[in-house]
Amino acid sequence: MNPNKELWEKGDFTRIAASMRESGEALVKDLGVANGLDVLDLGCGDGTTALPAARLGANVLGVDIASNLVEAGNARAQSLGLSNCRFQEGDASDLQEIKEDSFDLVISIFGAMFAPKPFEVAKEVVRVTRPGGRIVMGNWIPNDPTLVAQILKICSSYSPPPAEGFISPMTWGVEDNVIERFGAAGVPEDKIRFKRDTYTFNFPVAPSELLAEFRAYYGPTMNAFEAATANGREHDLQAELQALFNEQNTGASKDATSIPATFLRVTVGL
Ligand SMILES: C[S@@+](CC[C@H](N)C(=O)[O-])C[C@H]1O[C@@H](n2cnc3c(N)ncnc32)[C@H](O)[C@@H]1O
């Protein structure tokens, strides 16, 4: 089994995505998605950005490595009556089923960054984007002090060292790496723009409940808890994450969670 696929099928990202809907919708609006635009959403999960793009009239294909999320995305599109949005399984580093120059806009929000072989990812997204089209990636930033970068940092400190040759997904949050990867795919540096942006995780209950969702359903956190439990460090991990969620919460009360997280927004114009 592909370990990348296994990681994301292990949990159920729909449970986390439920707290990301407002930011997903706002981001898509900000991209100026319009009627008839052909959009690929790569590492789309259950459609946090794909469905709002389809609601704005785009023809959307969502591609994700996790079959459970593809199924969830198709069910959501169907229940919303969006016949212009479909989801299929695929790997961001090898989009063999997609012809070149197929899309006006390729979006990948915290998606393709998790695929191994980042140079292949850049090559593939450039290949399937039409000349004059756009690629927009949202990538978490290494050592950023906000929620997700910190969750991933804390989790990796409780997990066994990665296999040799593993390239951290967080390297997509470093501008020089992004320039190098798209450069190798034939994109000059002056076609790439960077911006710090924010996603807010909103959940109508206490931060401890959102942490419980991450612990039970988010692959990287699940793996860290498994490793920590095996080493007798489960309570330390729980305490570290709980302190993080509490500190970062800007919700109006202790029983409402609203946690902003900073990411690197990358826009590539072809
Ligand atoms: C953090 S989730 C983000 C999902 C979605 N973009 C959102 O904003 O809700 C990461 C997603 O990337 C997908 N993914 C990871 N590796 C992938 C790969 N190699 N190819 C395609 N999708 C991948 C996962 O299955 C998961 O749905």
Side-chain angles (χ1 to χ4, degrees):
M1 174 80 155
N2 171 345
N4 180 223
K5 183 173 167 66
E6 196 173 10
L7 174 71
W8 292 98
E9 288 184 346
K10 179 176 188 146
D12 179 0
F13 192 75
T14 67
R15 304 289 294 237
I16 313 299
S19 64
M20 299 163 74
R21 303 297 189 213
E22 287 140 21
S23 289
E25 202 162 327
L27 177 70
V28 168
K29 271 200 189 122
D30 196 47
L31 294 180
V33 171
N35 218 9
L37 206 72
D38 291 325
V39 174
L40 171 66
D41 190 334
L42 209 46
C44 56
D46 67 348
T48 294
T49 43
L51 294 172
R55 272 200 296 265
L56 290 170
N59 307 311
V60 183
L61 174 64
V63 168
D64 200 282
I65 201 158
S67 56
N68 53 331
L69 298 175
V70 167
E71 201 180 311
N74 277 323
R76 291 183 73 218
Q78 199 175 4
S79 74
L80 293 166
L82 290 168
S83 57
N84 55 334
C85 185
R86 68 188 175 84
F87 294 78
Q88 71 185 39
E89 236 180 279
D91 186 335
S93 52
D94 182 8
L95 297 169
Q96 47 180 282
E97 67 285 2
I98 299 178
K99 285 204 209 108
E100 60 188 46
D101 301 344
S102 293
F103 296 97
D104 304 301
L105 173 64
V106 176
I107 310 177
S108 190
I109 305 304
F110 325 126
M113 68 172 284
F114 288 103
K117 303 192 201 151
F119 282 89
E120 297 300 310
V121 169
K123 200 174 84 192
E124 283 297 77
V125 292
V126 170
R127 183 182 68 77
V128 302
T129 307
R130 291 183 180 129
R134 250 183 318 160
I135 299 161
V136 177
M137 288 183 88
N139 301 331
W140 300 120
I141 303 166
N143 295 317
D144 181 84
T146 62
L147 186 75
V148 184
Q150 287 300 313
I151 293 177
L152 293 170
K153 188 174 175 183
I154 292 169
C155 285
S156 70
S157 74
Y158 284 82
S159 305
E164 215 186 299
F166 174 81
I167 301 171
S168 165
M170 302 303 282
T171 56
W172 271 110
V174 177
E175 295 182 15
D176 283 349
N177 290 330
V178 175
I179 290 167
E180 188 190 11
R181 290 164 189 179
F182 281 110
V187 179
E189 187 174 341
D190 64 0
K191 300 276 184 192
I192 308 173
R193 283 184 289 120
F194 298 102
K195 179 185 164 186
R196 303 268 151 160
D197 206 341
T198 303
Y199 240 59
T200 301
F201 290 76
N202 288 324
F203 210 54
V205 283
S208 57
E209 306 274 337
L210 182 58
L211 171 55
E213 296 290 285
F214 272 84
R215 181 172 176 164
Y217 298 109
Y218 183 61
T221 318
M222 294 165 76
N223 280 351
F225 270 102
E226 266 174 37
T229 303
N231 294 325
R233 297 178 69 210
E234 180 190 352
H235 298 298
D236 297 341
L237 175 56
Q238 174 71 26
E240 235 186 291
L241 288 173
Q242 189 60 71
L244 172 73
F245 276 67
N246 289 344
E247 267 162 37
Q248 305 261 330
N249 187 26
T250 61
S253 77
K254 277 195 299 187
D255 297 324
T257 304
S258 184
I259 304 183
T262 306
F263 67 98
L264 182 68
R265 181 155 144 188
V266 178
T267 305
V268 180
L270 294 187

